[in-house]
Amino acid sequence: MGNQNNSKMYSAEITAVGMYVPEKIMDNKYMESIVDTNDEWIVTRTGIRERRLLENGATSDLAAGAAKDLFTTTDVKPEEIDVIIVATVTPDMMFPATACLVQEKIGATNAWGFDMSAACSGFLFALQTGASLIQGGQYKNVLVLGADKMSSITDYTDRNTCILFGDAGAAVLLQRTDNKELGIQNSILRIDGSGKESLNMKGGGSLNPPTHETIDNKMHYIYQDGQAVFKVAVKGMADVSAEMMEMQGLKPEDVAYLVPHQANLRIIDATARRMGLEKEKVMINIDKYGNTTAATIPLCLVEYYRDGKIKKGDNLILSAFGAGFTWGATHLVWSLD
Ligand code: UT7
């Protein structure tokens, strides 16, 4: 996709944001009490200090919580939403789609919608899809949600994975604008199914419907070959982010922030180095929330915006890598003051 805005009728800009994180905190001390790990290993290898746990409820509650927070900040009413897109790998159930459950919870009585399954790249894929629905002129208001209750598919006896993940939801409202200088400018999005063995949850789908055997084999939990994913994630995220800067004619001094998926601080650092960005230009909150899959990027946007760190006109490069493999980068120009 190159210079898509020149050929579109409208641009899609973010005009409101919201987030929801559960109150319950699992810090590294707590992780030490349940598996053979330690704070030093977790912090130096990943950058994570805490993650959140949703004790009651499901992904639709995380998403609806984020949407309700968003609606407290905008004049747009739930019934004015045209489309709801929920990026998630932890849908409440196989069907109906979590988007339907969120629709009911927030009273978006005139919306249609769907779920987007692209793991840690889910928010980027959903954001570009939402933008495309607006750019052609068919829709005005698209609610894009990234939400995952990762605790529902995490094996808390597996130290390789349980220290990594947390629960959260975050939301952005995409709206139509005539000003093509604002909003989603361009995306490079990729998938490669040859990565399917390195990061997956094999049980519960049509390949391995749930049986006593799939449960005994722990196939309803996340499996990750950390080192294998690490290598391709570093290359994938760095390549695509640098390519996006080049495609958009952006120099490091033109970029206000890299907004990276928060899976591992070392992957984020490598991506920033490749883009020529200093540390101050990288959004980080992995220390507080761990890897919340589809929620990491919008959660960063909400927190940095509310802290007054992003301003209208800022060039942001959003970048992610996840299971599939899925990866990509998006150039977003921030619209909110
Ligand atoms: O978000 C979607 C995409 N996912 C990613 O981007 C994740 C990519 N991968 C990673 O971030 C890293 O590979 C991990 C953080 C998952 C692991 O870090 P690593 O530096 O690759 O560690 P490793 O898996 O190579 O393990 C090194 C050692 C092993 O011990 P031995 O075999 O060297 O004795 C592990 O058993 O660390 C051990 N280990 C732990 N030790 C203490 C693994 N997990 C832990 C733990 N605490 N929690």
Side-chain angles (χ1 to χ4, degrees), residues 37 41 45 120 159-160 224 226-227 261 264 266-267 291:
T37 189
W41 190 98
R45 298 282 178 132
C120 298
R159 70 175 184 173
N160 289 295
Q224 175 169 254
Q227 275 190 18
H261 169 53
N264 188 314
R266 291 180 292 149
I267 300 175
N291 184 348

Side-chain angles (χ1 to χ4, degrees), residues 34-171:
I34 60 168
V35 286
D36 179 17
T37 189
N38 58 79
D39 177 60
E40 206 247 327
W41 190 98
I42 300 173
V43 172
T44 54
R45 298 282 178 132
T46 71
I48 300 167
R49 293 179 189 276
E50 294 177 358
R51 65 291 289 145
R52 299 294 175 111
L53 175 71
L54 182 67
E55 291 179 288
N56 298 303
T59 294
S60 65
D61 297 303
L62 296 167
K68 284 176 185 165
D69 180 40
L70 180 151
F71 283 117
T72 65
T73 71
T74 175
D75 292 337
V76 177
K77 304 268 173 293
E79 54 271 27
E80 293 174 84
I81 298 298
D82 300 313
V83 189
I84 299 170
I85 311 177
V86 180
T88 188
V89 285
T90 51
D92 287 26
M93 42 192 131
M94 293 288 280
F95 68 89
T98 305
C100 302
L101 310 173
V102 172
Q103 178 278 332
E104 188 189 20
K105 283 180 179 168
I106 65 173
T109 45
N110 295 302
W112 67 284
F114 53 92
D115 291 1
M116 174 73 67
S117 174
C120 298
S121 309
F123 181 75
L124 286 195
F125 285 24
L127 191 68
Q128 180 53 55
T129 304
S132 301
L133 292 171
I134 286 174
Q135 286 159 350
Q138 206 173 356
Y139 299 103
K140 283 188 179 162
N141 302 322
V142 179
L143 188 60
V144 180
L145 301 152
D148 271 299
K149 185 185 174 186
M150 295 306 290
S151 61
S152 67
I153 56 169
T154 298
D155 177 0
Y156 286 97
T157 66
D158 174 15
R159 70 175 184 173
N160 289 295
T161 52
C162 74
I163 54 107
L164 299 171
F165 295 100
D167 302 339

